Structures are given as structure tokens and as C-alpha cells.
């Protein structure tokens, strides 16, 4: 008995009718009873009905089982509700018949509380993430709605600027010298540029607002289509394009097509001074897709600006374009949960790597500022 | 039908100027009536005294109008027997799908995004004018019972 009284486990014994035969010191301490007072009493005398019913049921289960059973039990004590891992086993007489139930319960209240706290914190965290995501989506939507309405509102005065400049040039031609007419022409060129930028901004915001559907997309075949279109609109160019077979990805077909169109158009454009111009579409490590060309390339020191809207790393006179294509590509890639990065050497061509999901493609993280 | 009147529903005075200039440039000399907002357009098309009503050969309708929304004018035109068959070309700065869908659903014959560059504007006007005034066969005018004066 001394052994039993020195353990922190709660130990007790009851007969087949549920009457207490033995309890240890921990039992006495926990439930504020004395063993002598327990003689002949059952759990129903000590605990609320529900708790006692539960204990009794577990006892009977152990008897029926004939072998030790392990289960979790809760019991009200003088320090509040406590949780236990209990092993209950029947005690057998010489004939192999059960005559008593013995139980050894280890207090896991603290552990249980810690578990529940972790669950609660996780739920709280998930709720906060849900809220933040909703807020972010709402603010992105607001920004895009703003960009949309402002863009449309801007086109009207722009039209007036372009129009009146033309009117002056036509109606007052004899009052203007060559320089004057040229200045007006510059006004028109710039309003044209601004008009293009507004349309580009609208396209960019459209890629965020469009619903994203995930499908299996045949990248090889889509790239082939884009290349065919480029060949048709630039029949004078001699460009060698090779697209690897069997490239696939999961994502929105329309938006992925936009990505390929932008990347391949860029490659097409920046290889204009090469003969032969070479463009490859292949897969890299871990499902990364790669578009590579042997064109003019860009200075890696400015790689961080590559995907900013309207950032151009080349003189306007060298290569046309307003610089929105890569911003659109990055936005689409990010909407799919993926990443895009580029490497290049000036004069040695450029390589664009991208993924359309959050797995795969750990290379290149250090390369992008 | 190239002698008909063109009704231009447009609130932006610069756009009015450019449109008139573009029609003249394209040698389209039809009378052009300008309504500065939806209310004026409504009064022209559906006056209290119906005998004074304007029945144009072509309506150019800017949908971004103050007061009465341009598409409401379109709805009204389509629901009135006298005007239901009029060609209506919707002009707008927007080419958002939802705006295009709405316009066609309410019965627009055509949806044109106003170009920023003036030469494109002139060209669009020419194309529209030539098509709707010269090439297109208009709906026959509905028979209106004459009232005893």
C-alpha cells in the first residue's frame, strides 16, 4: 500500500457492483475523501450522475473485454475538471473469473489544456488569415475598380487634346512653320502613347479581376499556337523556335495563353537583331517552365525592375513597347501561386523561368533582387 | 435614306465638335441634331405633341450621360412603336464586356468605343455614316393612323 500511496497516479479498485474496495493516497487527495469513508460506496455516491454513469460503463466494458482497456476520462475534482488517461483491467480469481476492477489513471489535464490551447490558437490564426485575405482581396478589387474608372475618365480629355492638336494643324497650317507643325505632331504622339498606357493599365487590372479557372493546360500546344500567330504577323522574320513536347501545367487557359504570348512576343522582339534568332520553350527542374532567347538580353543589375509596370530597360528607340507585358505576366503567375524570375547577360539573350503553383522551382531565389 | 437626320446624343462639347467635323470631313451632309443630355433627347424623340416628334435616320448615343442614363434612352426608343426600328449606335469610352453585353441586350444595333486619336475617330465616323445611312436597309416606317385634326 505504501507503494500505491507514493505514486502520482490515481489508483482504485471496485467490485463487480461498482463498490469501492481500495483507493490510494492520490485518490484521497484529489477527491477530498478518506478511504475508510468509501467502503460500500459507488461512483454514484461521489460524482454527478453523468460522470458516474460513464465510469460504470467503462468498468463494465473492461470486464466484458477481459483484457486491459485504455481510455480517456474526465472527473470533477477539488481543482476543477481534470482529464485522465485510464487503464482499467479486471482482476481474476483462481477460477479465471473476474471479481474486481482495477483502475490506474494518469493526470493529463495540463497536456490536454495545452492541446486545446494549440487548437484554439490555430483556429484564431486561420480566422485572422481568412480576414486578412478577404481584406486584401477587397482592397485589390477597390484599387482595380478605381484604376478602371479613372482610366476611362482619362480617355475623354486625352481625345480632346489629340483632336484639337489635329484641328490646329489642319485649320491653321498656313500660320505655322515646319517647327510649329512638328511640335503639334509631338503632342499627338504623346497623347497616343498615354492612350496606350491607359489601355495597358486596364488590361493589367483585367487580369486581376478575371475569374481564375484551373484546368490541365497543354503548354506545348499553346506555345505552338502563339508562335504560329507571331510568324503570321511577322513573315519577314527568320526565327528558329523549338518547343519541348509534353509540357503541361494546371491553371487558367486564357491567362496562361497571355503569359506565353507576352513572353514569346518579348523574345521575338528582342531577337530582332540576331540572325538566326533562336527561342526555346522547355521545362526546367521541378516543373519550372522556361522561355529562353538569344536576343539582346538585359543588365542583371536592373533585374529587380523588370516586372514593374512601364519599366523599360532599353531605350525607346531600340525596341518599342510600353513595358506592361511583364507586369501582366507576373500578376498572372502570382495569382496562380507561382513565381517568375529572369536571368540574362547583356548581348547573350535572356531566360525567363516561371511556375504556376507554389511547389517546385527553388532555384533562382538568390538571383532576383 | 441618306437624306435623314442624325440625332447625336452627346454631353461632351469637344466630342460634339469632333463628330460634326468628322462628318463634314467625310462629306456626310445630313442634318445633325445634337442633344446635350438624355432629357433633351427624350423631349426631341417623345414630345407631348407627337406630330412634332423627331424621327431620325440614325441615333448616335453616348451612354455616359448626365441625368438620364444613356441606356434608358435606348430602352425607351426600343419600347416605342414609332421608334422601335431606329438604328442606334452606342458610343462609349468603355469596352468592358459587361457594358457591351448590356447595350446589346437592350437592343443596340452597334457598339463603338470612341477612339482617342482623331484620325481613327474620323475613320470610324466615315464607316458608321456610310454603313448606316447608305448601305443599311432601314426598318420600314410603322404605319401611324392619322388623327382627325
Amino acid at each position: 500500500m505504501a507503494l500505491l500511496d507514493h505514486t502520482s497516479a490515481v489508483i482504485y479498485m471496485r467490485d463487480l457492483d461498482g463498490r469501492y474496495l481500495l483507493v490510494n493516497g492520490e485518490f484521497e487527495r484529489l477527491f477530498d475523501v478518506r478511504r475508510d469513508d468509501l467502503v460500500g460506496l459507488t461512483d454514484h455516491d461521489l460524482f454527478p450522475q453523468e460522470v458516474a454513469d460513464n465510469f460504470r460503463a467503462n468498468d463494465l466494458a473492461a470486464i466484458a473485454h477481459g483484457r486491459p482497456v485504455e481510455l480517456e476520462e474526465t472527473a470533477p475534482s477539488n481543482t476543477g475538471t481534470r482529464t485522465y488517461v485510464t487503464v482499467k483491467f479486471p482482476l481474476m480469481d483462481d477460477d479465471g473469473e473476474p471479481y474486481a476492477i482495477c483502475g490506474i489513471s494518469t493526470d493529463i489535464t495540463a497536456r490536454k489544456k495545452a492541446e486545446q490551447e494549440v487548437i484554439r490558437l490555430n483556429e484564431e490564426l486561420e480566422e485572422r488569415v481568412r480576414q486578412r485575405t478577404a481584406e486584401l482581396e477587397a482592397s485589390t478589387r477597390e484599387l482595380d475598380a478605381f484604376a478602371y474608372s479613372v482610366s476611362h475618365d482619362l480617355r475623354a480629355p486625352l481625345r480632346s487634346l489629340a483632336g484639337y492638336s489635329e484641328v490646329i494643324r489642319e485649320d491653321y497650317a498656313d500660320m505655322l512653320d515646319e517647327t510649329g507643325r512638328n511640335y503639334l505632331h509631338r503632342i499627338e504622339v504623346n497623347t497616343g502613347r498615354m492612350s496606350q498606357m491607359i489601355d495597358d493599365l486596364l488590361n493589367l487590372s483585367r487580369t486581376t479581376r478575371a475569374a481564375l479557372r484551373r484546368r490541365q493546360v497543354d503548354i506545348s500546344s499553346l506555345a505552338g499556337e502563339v508562335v504560329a500567330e507571331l510568324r503570321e504577323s511577322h513573315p519577314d522574320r527568320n526565327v528558329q523556335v523549338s518547343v519541348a513536347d509534353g509540357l503541361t501545367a494546371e491553371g487558367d487557359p486564357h491567362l496562361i495563353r497571355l503569359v506565353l504570348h507576352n513572353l514569346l512576343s518579348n523574345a521575338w522582339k528582342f531577337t530582332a537583331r540576331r540572325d538566326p534568332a533562336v527561342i526555346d520553350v522547355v521545362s526546367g527542374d521541378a516543373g519550372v517552365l522556361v522561355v529562353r532567347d538569344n536576343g539582346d538580353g538585359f543588365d542583371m543589375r536592373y533585374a529587380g525592375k523588370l516586372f514593374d509596370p512601364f519599366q523599360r530597360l532599353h531605350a525607346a528607340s531600340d525596341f518599342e513597347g510600353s513595358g506592361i507585358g511583364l507586369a501582366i505576366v507576373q500578376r498572372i503567375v502570382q495569382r496562380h501561386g507561382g513565381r517568375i524570375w529572369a536571368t540574362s547577360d547583356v548581348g547573350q539573350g535572356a531566360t525567363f523561368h516561371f511556375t504556376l503553383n507554389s511547389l517546385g522551382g527553388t532555384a533562382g531565389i538568390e538571383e532576383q533582387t | 435614306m441618306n437624306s435623314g437626320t442624325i440625332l447625336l446624343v452627346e454631353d461632351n462639347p469637344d466630342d460634339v465638335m469632333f463628330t460634326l467635323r468628322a462628318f463634314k470631313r467625310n462629306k456626310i451632309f445630313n442634318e445633325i441634331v445634337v442633344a446635350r443630355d438624355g432629357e433633351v433627347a427624350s423631349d426631341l424623340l417623345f414630345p407631348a405633341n407627337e406630330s412634332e416628334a423627331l424621327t431620325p435616320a440614325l441615333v448616335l448615343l453616348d451612354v455616359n450621360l448626365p441625368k438620364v442614363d444613356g441606356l434608358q434612352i435606348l430602352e425607351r426608343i426600343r419600347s416605342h412603336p414609332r421608334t422601335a426600328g431606329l438604328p442606334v449606335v452606342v458610343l462609349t469610352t468603355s469596352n468592358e464586356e459587361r457594358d457591351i453585353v448590356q447595350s446589346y441586350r437592350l437592343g443596340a444595333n452597334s457598339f463603338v468605343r470612341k477612339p482617342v486619336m482623331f484620325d481613327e475617330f474620323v475613320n470610324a465616323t466615315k464607316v458608321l455614316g456610310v454603313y448606316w445611312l447608305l448601305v443599311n436597309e432601314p426598318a420600314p416606317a410603322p404605319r401611324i393612323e392619322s388623327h382627325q385634326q
Side-chain angles (χ1 to χ4, degrees), chain A residues 64-291:
Chain A
H65 229 73
R67 297 190 293 109
V69 290
E70 185 177 306
L71 31 76
E72 218 174 85
E73 288 178 326
T74 58
S77 76
N78 55 7
T79 51
T81 305
R82 304 199 75 84
T83 313
Y84 296 91
V85 164
T86 298
V87 177
K88 280 195 175 149
F89 50 94
L91 296 171
M92 307 301 200
D93 61 20
D94 294 331
D95 298 321
E97 288 302 312
Y99 69 90
I101 271 286
C102 187
I104 304 179
S105 298
T106 314
D107 191 318
I108 56 163
T109 309
R111 188 182 89 190
K112 202 79 183 147
K113 234 182 233 168
E115 271 174 24
Q116 278 162 352
E117 186 66 12
V118 167
I119 291 173
R120 190 187 68 81
L121 283 172
N122 268 333
E123 278 170 2
E124 219 176 88
L125 191 64
E126 268 185 42
E127 178 58 31
R128 250 186 280 157
V129 168
R130 261 196 300 272
Q131 262 180 14
R132 287 280 161 80
T133 308
E135 277 167 23
L136 190 65
E137 281 174 358
S139 94
T140 307
R141 266 198 307 271
E142 265 175 46
L143 265 171
D144 285 330
F146 174 73
Y148 164 86
S149 71
V150 163
S151 305
H152 284 299
D153 292 341
L154 286 174
R155 292 181 94 243
L158 207 54
R159 183 169 44 254
S160 297
L161 283 170
Y164 280 114
S165 174
E166 171 96 15
V167 164
I168 292 174
R169 248 185 340 120
E170 287 168 5
D171 293 359
Y172 297 92
D174 50 345
M175 298 219 268
L176 288 167
D177 63 357
E178 184 74 28
T179 310
R181 283 195 291 274
N182 187 40
Y183 287 158
L184 289 173
H185 177 67
R186 298 307 310 157
I187 290 178
E188 283 154 50
V189 165
N190 279 282
T191 48
R193 200 169 278 163
M194 186 161 165
S195 171
Q196 184 61 51
M197 285 171 77
I198 291 175
D199 282 351
D200 285 345
L201 274 173
L202 285 172
N203 281 333
L204 181 61
S205 85
R206 222 171 259 159
T207 62
T208 312
R209 285 182 285 126
L212 194 107
R213 301 162 306 162
R214 280 199 190 263
R215 293 258 144 116
Q216 265 302 100
V217 178
D218 181 346
I219 301 283
S220 300
S221 127
L222 210 54
E225 281 175 33
V226 172
V227 170
E229 280 166 18
L230 286 168
R231 286 203 198 285
E232 201 177 307
S233 39
H234 302 93
D236 49 308
R237 288 282 311 277
N238 171 26
V239 183
Q240 294 173 15
V241 183
S242 90
V243 178
D245 286 330
L247 298 174
T248 62
E250 206 183 279
D252 186 295
H254 170 69
L255 292 177
I256 293 179
R257 185 181 232 285
L258 259 176
V259 166
L260 290 172
H261 176 81
N262 274 302
L263 291 177
L264 288 168
S265 300
N266 275 356
W268 194 273
K269 186 165 65 180
F270 287 102
T271 51
R273 303 203 273 213
R274 295 278 176 272
D275 189 11
V278 179
I279 301 175
D280 298 313
V281 181
V282 297
S283 79
D285 300 323
V288 177
L289 293 162
V290 177
V291 177

Side-chain angles (χ1 to χ4, degrees), chain A residues 42-84:
Chain A
T42 70
D43 283 325
H44 283 87
D45 298 312
L46 290 176
F47 300 111
Q49 168 98 18
E50 211 180 299
V51 175
D53 284 345
N54 196 38
F55 288 162
R56 181 75 186 136
N58 290 341
D59 280 0
L60 292 171
I63 293 168
H65 229 73
R67 297 190 293 109
V69 290
E70 185 177 306
L71 31 76
E72 218 174 85
E73 288 178 326
T74 58
S77 76
N78 55 7
T79 51
T81 305
R82 304 199 75 84
T83 313
Y84 296 91

Side-chain angles (χ1 to χ4, degrees), chain B residues 4 7 9 17 27 34-35 38 44 46 48 57 76 80-81 84 89 91 100 103-104 110 112 116 124 127 145 147:
Chain B
L7 174 61
V9 188
M17 200 283 254
K27 307 216 189 312
V34 179
L44 285 168
F46 311 107
R76 221 176 148 195
H80 203 286
V89 174
L91 303 170
I100 302 179
S103 302
Y104 278 119
S110 166
V112 175
V116 165
V127 168
E145 287 183 21
H147 298 277

